[in-house]
Amino acid sequence: MHILHVVGARPNFMKAAPVLRALQGCGVRQTLVHTGQHYDANMSDVFFAQLAMPAPDVNLEVGSGSHAAQTAAILWRFEPVVEERRPDIVLVYGDVNSTLAAALVCAKLSLRIAHVEAGLRSFDRSMPEEINRVLTDQLADLLFTPSQDGDRNLQREGIPAERIHRVGNVMIDSLVRLLPEAQAASNGIPSRYALVTLHRPSNVDDERTLKSILHALLDMQGAVEIVFPVHPRTRQRIEQWRLGTGKLHLLEPLPYLEFLALQRHAAVVLTDSGGIQEETTYLGVPCLTLRNSTERPITVTMGTNVLVGDDPARLKTELARVLEGKAKKGTIPPLWDGHAAERIARILVTP
Ligand code: UD1
């Protein structure tokens, strides 16, 4: 059996690593294709190293561009790779442009597709990731979901139940394995801090919105120090519009282990990321999500996540609640146990 994995952007790497590992020793041949959607060393290479992933067999080197240009470049460059290698099944991960583009190529070539992290829905089609999720799930033959809401969403969209396998959360597999190696926060990090990440186009690509979020962060500094590893997209915008960042502790994007350590020791995390909502829920760290919707509702119903939307006043109120020690308590969702990838491997290799 020949399994081909496709990864492209930072949040794919911690999902693919445990599946690659679980399939080692199962007697299957594995090929790893990197689309090159993320290409900076600190957005890609360092994750391969820390997650002990094999070097990609192929790098499509598509780089950045508009959604259409990036997606088209992957379609164009990935097709000959799969035509030549003819895998038995192609695994795609998460909801980035590389996920949908690879799935589309395979569907047209009648190659079997498995989608890892299927079924998540924010029900907000203005998010590019929501389009990627819905369409990838329609094309996939096997759908591996992290939680029950995923199963329900897929069934509602007409996906036959026998294609859906609830396996749990592969990203938590990486966290469980590597948490013991995640060292305490590095030099220059205050002892008590709020950790911030921001990169959603809806938050950072509009000058007024980004300005108002930065103002809110600057306002909060009286109450707590702010540590902010800045995504390249966000850094470009801050520089382009010359926005003030006062005494915020701005950092470069961090490697996996360093970021995990910062999350673990944070008083609170403020984010618009998807995966971080899940990691904080696992770690039991309060999370305030700067979005109006989430495709990961279980982090709100069971976990430590609170959606604060785009209202700075709400953010302040929720932050004050956390800093007073009144954060809501969460529990870890079922099957977020470090063994999701093993369940995926078992399903893939069972005839
Ligand atoms: C992408 C994913 C998003 C994911 C995020 C994690 C899509 C639609 N979006 O968003 O779901 O949460 O990755 O980071 O797939 N850039 C660099 N170096 C890099 C990569 C990007 O400088 O290695 C800059 C480029 O200027 C690029 C911009 O960041 O234009 C945005 O990159 P892109 O891949 O388009 O989307 P992300 O915002 O990273």
Side-chain angles (χ1 to χ4, degrees):
M1 187 184 205
H2 179 193
I3 297 179
L4 187 146
H5 307 255
V6 182
V7 294
R10 184 169 64 177
N12 289 156
F13 308 137
M14 49 293 258
K15 295 169 192 167
V19 183
L20 282 152
R21 179 175 287 265
L23 284 164
Q24 274 168 13
C26 288
V28 300
R29 177 174 154 215
Q30 301 198 73
T31 299
L32 180 58
V33 175
H34 192 327
T35 64
Q37 176 174 346
H38 284 175
Y39 44 84
D40 284 350
N42 61 8
M43 297 293 283
S44 180
D45 301 0
V46 71
F47 288 83
F48 274 72
Q50 292 196 337
L51 294 160
M53 289 172 74
D57 298 284
V58 180
N59 192 322
L60 305 177
E61 295 181 353
V62 299
S64 303
S66 69
H67 285 268
Q70 193 174 58
T71 306
I74 300 168
L75 296 177
W76 184 261
R77 295 184 193 184
F78 184 53
E79 186 179 54
V81 172
V82 273
E83 277 194 308
E84 188 196 324
R85 297 184 181 239
R86 282 276 148 194
D88 297 298
I89 189 157
V90 174
L91 263 64
V92 297
Y93 296 85
D95 57 14
V96 301
N97 286 344
S98 301
T99 312
L100 173 61
L104 189 51
V105 169
C106 297
K108 295 290 182 83
L109 294 173
S110 300
L111 287 169
R112 276 165 65 73
I113 303 159
H115 184 202
V116 178
E117 198 185 81
L120 299 186
R121 296 290 180 270
S122 65
F123 303 101
D124 174 2
R125 293 261 175 126
S126 70
M127 282 179 84
E129 292 82 1
E130 182 73 354
I131 313 270
N132 295 341
R133 291 180 201 116
V134 170
L135 297 179
T136 302
D137 285 339
Q138 282 298 324
L139 299 173
D141 300 282
L142 277 176
L143 298 101
F144 296 119
T145 63
S147 46
Q148 199 182 20
D149 53 288
D151 302 24
R152 283 200 215 105
N153 293 333
L154 294 174
Q155 282 172 2
R156 201 180 318 111
E157 291 171 18
I159 311 278
E162 61 271 18
R163 290 195 195 167
I164 305 168
H165 300 270
R166 195 183 323 146
V167 293
N169 192 322
V170 284
M171 202 188 54
I172 299 300
D173 288 7
S174 283
L175 187 155
V176 168
R177 187 170 76 81
L178 288 167
L179 195 58
E181 290 176 38
Q183 301 303 318
S186 47
N187 287 346
I189 302 295
S191 56
R192 189 164 189 251
Y193 57 90
L195 176 64
V196 175
T197 82
L198 277 180
H199 75 281
R200 289 271 151 233
S202 56
N203 279 332
V204 307
D205 283 358
D206 176 72
E207 186 175 351
R208 273 186 39 204
T209 309
L210 182 57
K211 213 176 200 170
S212 112
I213 295 174
L214 289 174
H215 272 153
L217 295 180
L218 290 168
D219 253 18
M220 283 176 209
Q221 271 186 318
V224 67
E225 303 249 26
I226 310 270
V227 175
F228 184 3
V230 188
H231 187 283
R233 173 190 282 278
T234 312
R235 183 164 303 265
Q236 277 171 19
R237 301 296 180 234
I238 291 175
E239 285 168 7
Q240 178 185 346
W241 295 320
R242 297 201 171 88
L243 303 178
T245 52
K247 291 197 177 127
L248 306 179
H249 299 265
L250 299 192
L251 309 175
E252 289 301 311
L254 292 172
Y256 183 70
L257 293 174
E258 284 75 356
F259 189 74
L260 215 51
L262 271 186
Q263 280 194 83
R264 181 190 210 172
H265 298 291
V268 57
V269 175
L270 277 56
T271 191
D272 60 7
S273 148
I276 293 169
Q277 298 171 49
E278 299 183 333
E279 290 173 341
T280 46
T281 275
Y282 186 88
L283 295 168
V285 172
C287 179
L288 305 180
T289 296
L290 298 153
R291 287 170 45 187
N292 292 309
S293 63
T294 177
E295 63 289 340
R296 292 159 161 94
I298 201 163
T299 60
V300 176
T301 53
M302 291 191 74
T304 55
N305 190 18
V306 176
L307 294 185
V308 297
D310 50 11
D311 175 6
R314 175 91 204 277
L315 177 59
K316 263 189 224 165
T317 315
E318 292 296 338
L319 181 76
R321 202 193 300 268
V322 171
L323 296 178
E324 284 162 19
K326 294 182 189 152
K328 75 167 178 163
K329 301 278 175 274
T331 52
I332 297 174
L335 299 178
W336 291 24
D337 58 358
H339 300 288
E342 291 157 35
R343 291 186 275 272
I344 290 175
R346 219 172 296 134
I347 294 163
L348 288 173
V349 300
T350 304

